[in-house]
Amino acid sequence: MNPEPALPPGTTPGVSLVVPMKNEEGAIGALVEGIAAAMADRSWELILVDDGSTDRTREICLSLAAADARIRVLGHPVSAGQSAALHSGVLAARAPIVATLDGDGQNPPENLPRLIAPLVGPGADPACGLVAGQRVGRKDTWSKRLASRAANAIRSAVLRDGTRDTGCGLKAFRRDAFLALPYFDHMHRYLPALFARDGWQVAHVDVTHAPRQSGRSKYGNLDRALVGIVDLFGVAWLIRRRKRARAQMLTTETRSEPAPAEARPVPVAGDKVNA
């Protein structure tokens, strides 16, 4: 079989797809095949990020990259977590728009076109920085769904981010906006609040969910809850301490003019606004 050709030299892909994974040897092949089918009418690149797998995940990823020049493989020498793998992938991405999905096969790739649509094309909203997928018909165990529902309710009450499901791996965002966010482990669970903190609009798209194809979850309900408490208050602190003004370029003609809207404090969900 002849390998799929790379983009012409100097060409930037329209969308970079980033897939963090750890020990997902049983899911990778079908996932990549689904991504290629879903993105058939677009220019894209796929960045597979192996987060220190101990099975054949890295070997399979490299084999897929050898057959398709649109695929690149990154590897962490040791496991650093999903947020670290996501951040590494976005740093390596070449497109201005990045879409992400989990490597376990639970995020069906056919959702990608609807996820990307608000950020690309003539109807794209330049104020929108993030499109967050929200799962419907989840295929997880009842205990995981219950724990997720409770965590989302607490997070929403504290951060007021307007998102019912921040744990969904299906997201699309502007690369430069993502890289401007403060990095910390587990930040991937708080992207709607972090994007809103920087003044971006956040859109939501309902997406489907599939049973896990192989392997097992990297998180338990108890350890997820304990880490989440610390992270939640850390994000709340970051929101309170955000930069509240944007500078404008001044000239002698603008010296006496009032500050434009973009130079005034950036509103964030939950702020009190004086009438």
Side-chain angles (χ1 to χ4, degrees), residues 116-224:
I116 295 165
L119 296 171
V120 299
D125 182 358
C128 181
L130 169 71
V131 182
Q134 299 193 117
R135 293 166 287 188
V136 294
R138 288 185 62 173
K139 306 302 182 183
D140 291 316
T141 63
W142 69 267
S143 60
K144 189 172 182 179
R145 294 197 305 269
L146 183 63
S148 179
R149 189 177 299 122
N152 278 312
I154 295 170
R155 186 211 68 256
S156 181
V158 174
L159 301 182
R160 290 183 259 183
D161 58 9
T163 303
R164 74 168 189 265
D165 179 20
T166 61
C168 179
L170 278 162
K171 292 183 173 67
F173 46 77
R174 300 185 187 278
R175 178 179 180 271
D176 57 350
F178 175 88
L179 293 177
L181 301 177
Y183 175 81
F184 56 93
D185 285 345
H186 305 287
M187 68 175 291
H188 67 280
R189 300 187 185 282
Y190 299 93
L191 291 183
L194 293 170
F195 271 85
R197 169 186 180 269
D198 279 5
W200 292 100
Q201 296 294 319
V202 176
H204 300 89
V205 172
D206 285 345
V207 297
T208 56
H209 195 233
R212 175 177 285 276
Q213 299 302 306
S214 67
R216 58 188 180 86
S217 175
K218 311 302 184 295
Y219 307 97
N221 291 336
L222 179 59
D223 56 1
R224 188 199 305 262

Side-chain angles (χ1 to χ4, degrees), residues 42-62:
R42 295 180 182 272
S43 166
W44 56 274
E45 67 171 353
L46 173 59
I47 302 172
L48 302 173
V49 186
D50 174 33
D51 185 38
S53 293
T54 56
D55 64 359
R56 296 180 61 248
T57 292
R58 186 168 301 192
E59 177 186 342
I60 295 171
C61 287
L62 290 171

Side-chain angles (χ1 to χ4, degrees), residues 103-117:
D104 57 13
Q106 290 197 273
N107 297 150
E110 55 262 32
N111 292 286
L112 288 169
R114 290 188 296 111
L115 197 74
I116 295 165

